[in-house]
Amino acid sequence: SSSNTNSPQENKMSESGELLTELKDRVSRSIDGASAELHELSRDIWSCPELAYQESRAHDRLVAFFTHEQGWTVDARFKLETAFRAVWRTGGVGECVNVGFLCEYDALPGIGHACGHNLIAEVGAAAGLGLKAALEGAQGRLPVQVQITVLGTPAEEDVGGKVDLLKEGAFQGMDVVFMAHPSKEDATYLPCVAEHDVTIKYHGKASHASSYPWKGVNALDAAVLCYTNMSVLRQQMRPDWRVHGVIKHGGLKPNIIPDYTELEYYLRTPTRAELPVLKEKAERCFRSAAVATGCEVEIQYARNAFDNILRIPELEQLFERNGKSLGMDFTTDEDVLTNESGSTDFGNVTFVVPGIHSYFYIGSNALNHTPEYTVAAGDDKAQFFTLRTAKALAMTALDLLLQPKAMQRVKQEFIEAKLKDEKTSSRI
Ligand SMILES: NCCCC[C@H](NC(=O)CCCN)C(=O)O
């Protein structure tokens, strides 16, 4: 004589809704419970900034962190010297959904953690920990078995460790992948553009700059012309393309005609399909500078190019809902939402596994890649925002694990996004 007049279907739905609420709460509580260790982790990484592919201390610190936590199987130096993998699985048998969280931890030359990758490491670790704690309390009540994979991915600020790891099959078997990047605002997505680094070397001939200048071939003149050519090209570029370069070697002494100079440029377009068009135009700038000065030119592209991000609306919506429930304040500034935000090797990952690369405010209005942002990324104030983001990611993973239909939508949208990309690419 129960007062429950629901259908069995309705009862099942409300039970699963209650379980979801219970597990999300557990995510929050477990992350809060580990906040001191997580803070120490990101603080240690911040205090000792390491450049791309040299992040050995950060790697060891993260490996030690997961080794110390119970239940994780940890692979140090996973496929790359400074990559790692930590895996945890629910106990049962049957279909297993593999959820990935990514950590980054490389710094920038000269200004340390000015992109806050120490906080990305913390978000990945915290989300993994929080999801594991929630699932441990739900064994036997889950519709699927779960694997959590936390992957440490080096060198985002350089050649792109994620692309190396993709080539090595490190993402194989992953069903969905999550990460979040520090920014000056909360956002589910910001336009991430495709990018390729290129190094241009000019070889000239040294000579006494006052006694026999006519005997020299000036490689600095070539570098200056290259820079000017690119600046002139910028005027005719599509407004959403980006080129920016530095002169890395400009000569040694004014009275020696420079016989060698080197520049590095980043070439960016909104989609990976447009990048070859820009590259061809840029190469004309590089070569013509050599022709004008009589130098030889070498054009060397980096091992990996970065792709744009394939968006999965279902993931963005779920993340936004969870973020809002935790008080995140997602930007509605159209300028921010439509302007290029830079590039990431996570773009390449999204062509292989459906994923989300969200952004989070860290308690400061400083801009990424400035000394002020370095300070903000190490400030205690960033902790609340970092852990809140980790909670929202882990909760989004729970939404997918407990609601198979949501996971199906993610998979369907992934197929559609790839098809749409192929179609638009073929028109370029
Ligand atoms: N190959 C160089 C990569 C530079 C990546 C760098 N990434 C970021 O700043 C992260 C922002 C993501 N929107 C960049 O300069 O874009």
Side-chain angles (χ1 to χ4, degrees):
S1 65
S2 136
S3 60
N4 181 352
T5 54
N6 289 341
S7 68
Q9 173 76 0
E10 283 168 327
N11 280 335
K12 212 169 158 200
M13 275 171 61
S14 103
E15 270 168 36
S16 106
E18 280 164 24
L19 180 60
L20 194 51
T21 310
E22 175 196 324
L23 298 192
K24 285 186 180 181
D25 188 47
R26 205 184 278 261
V27 161
S28 275
R29 279 188 284 117
S30 62
I31 290 179
D32 286 337
S35 62
E37 294 96 293
L38 288 162
H39 186 184
E40 216 179 299
L41 174 73
S42 75
R43 182 78 203 180
D44 284 354
I45 296 172
W46 181 86
S47 322
C48 179
E50 296 165 303
L51 297 183
Y53 297 111
Q54 296 166 33
E55 315 94 327
S56 54
R57 281 177 71 142
H59 162 276
D60 294 353
R61 184 66 179 81
L62 281 151
V63 164
F65 179 86
F66 278 100
T67 308
H68 179 75
E69 290 290 322
Q70 298 238 312
W72 295 89
T73 304
V74 186
D75 293 303
R77 295 183 189 79
F78 179 65
K79 298 181 186 288
L80 294 176
E81 262 312 290
T82 55
F84 75 90
R85 183 176 71 171
V87 170
W88 176 83
R89 273 190 74 135
T90 48
V93 287
E95 189 205 345
C96 181
V97 178
N98 185 349
V99 176
F101 295 107
L102 304 189
C103 298
E104 290 176 7
Y105 31 86
D106 60 324
L108 286 155
I111 48 174
H113 275 291
C115 212
H117 291 192
N118 59 308
L119 301 176
I120 303 183
E122 183 176 353
V123 165
L129 236 63
L131 183 60
K132 171 178 173 280
L135 296 175
E136 274 172 338
Q139 303 264 20
R141 293 189 286 162
L142 298 169
V144 283
Q145 300 305 321
V146 183
Q147 172 169 325
I148 305 173
T149 305
V150 179
L151 206 57
T153 64
E156 191 273 344
E157 290 290 356
D158 195 69
V159 180
K162 292 182 198 65
V163 189
D164 296 328
L165 288 167
L166 277 165
K167 289 178 186 162
E168 292 291 323
F171 289 84
Q172 242 165 37
M174 247 184 228
D175 290 285
V176 60
V177 59
F178 297 89
M179 71 169 283
H181 197 294
S183 187
K184 75 172 194 345
E185 56 274 303
D186 292 329
T188 55
Y189 167 82
L190 295 175
C192 260
V193 294
E195 188 257 354
H196 210 170
D197 307 357
V198 58
T199 295
I200 309 105
K201 297 177 177 173
Y202 291 104
H203 299 274
K205 194 162 166 260
S207 178
H208 194 296
S210 177
S211 306
Y212 326 103
W214 54 89
K215 294 270 189 193
V217 176
N218 195 325
L220 179 58
D221 282 347
V224 170
L225 283 180
C226 168
Y227 195 86
T228 308
N229 289 346
M230 289 295 276
S231 302
V232 171
L233 171 67
R234 196 176 282 117
Q235 194 186 193
Q236 312 306 139
M237 281 183 352
R238 294 191 63 89
D240 47 13
W241 290 5
R242 297 280 184 274
V243 295
H244 27 254
V246 289
I247 299 180
K248 297 190 89 170
H249 295 287
L252 296 170
K253 221 172 148 39
N255 61 357
I256 309 170
I257 299 231
D259 64 349
Y260 176 74
T261 54
E262 190 179 312
L263 300 98
E264 189 178 9
Y265 264 88
Y266 288 180
L267 310 177
R268 314 197 200 221
T269 55
T271 62
R272 63 182 190 173
E274 287 162 88
L275 207 44
V277 184
L278 172 58
K279 281 163 77 171
E280 200 187 315
K281 289 176 190 289
E283 281 169 32
R284 286 205 290 267
C285 295
F286 307 154
R287 290 188 203 287
S288 57
V291 171
T293 53
C295 287
E296 297 293 320
V297 62
E298 277 180 80
I299 301 171
Q300 291 170 346
Y301 283 100
R303 178 171 73 240
N304 303 319
F306 288 13
D307 293 340
N308 49 291
I309 283 185
L310 281 190
R311 298 178 69 176
I312 309 293
E314 178 74 10
L315 282 178
E316 291 178 16
Q317 282 150 20
L318 291 172
F319 177 76
E320 184 166 347
R321 209 171 301 149
N322 286 308
K324 280 185 172 164
S325 77
L326 294 164
M328 286 178 84
D329 183 15
F330 291 93
T331 183
T332 52
D333 183 338
E334 275 306 304
D335 242 22
V336 174
L337 291 170
T338 53
N339 261 316
E340 277 64 27
S341 79
S343 312
T344 167
D345 52 359
F346 189 79
N348 303 56
V349 177
T350 64
F351 280 79
V352 179
V353 183
I356 180 167
H357 181 278
S358 58
Y359 291 85
F360 61 103
Y361 172 70
I362 64 167
S364 160
N365 289 327
L367 299 175
N368 294 60
H369 292 207
T370 63
E372 293 77 23
Y373 207 85
T374 307
V375 173
D379 197 301
D380 293 356
K381 223 203 284 175
Q383 285 306 302
F384 167 78
F385 304 102
T386 303
L387 295 187
R388 182 169 72 177
T389 302
K391 290 174 190 175
L393 287 185
M395 289 177 179
T396 306
L398 280 174
D399 283 326
L400 301 181
L401 295 170
L402 271 73
Q403 303 172 134
K405 282 206 173 127
M407 184 60 111
Q408 272 167 24
R409 278 194 292 276
V410 165
K411 299 217 158 172
Q412 185 56 34
E413 287 177 356
F414 177 55
I415 294 168
E416 284 163 10
K418 283 205 291 187
L419 282 175
K420 190 170 161 211
D421 174 78
E422 272 165 35
K423 250 193 216 156
T424 37
S425 304
S426 65
R427 276 194 236 118
I428 287 166

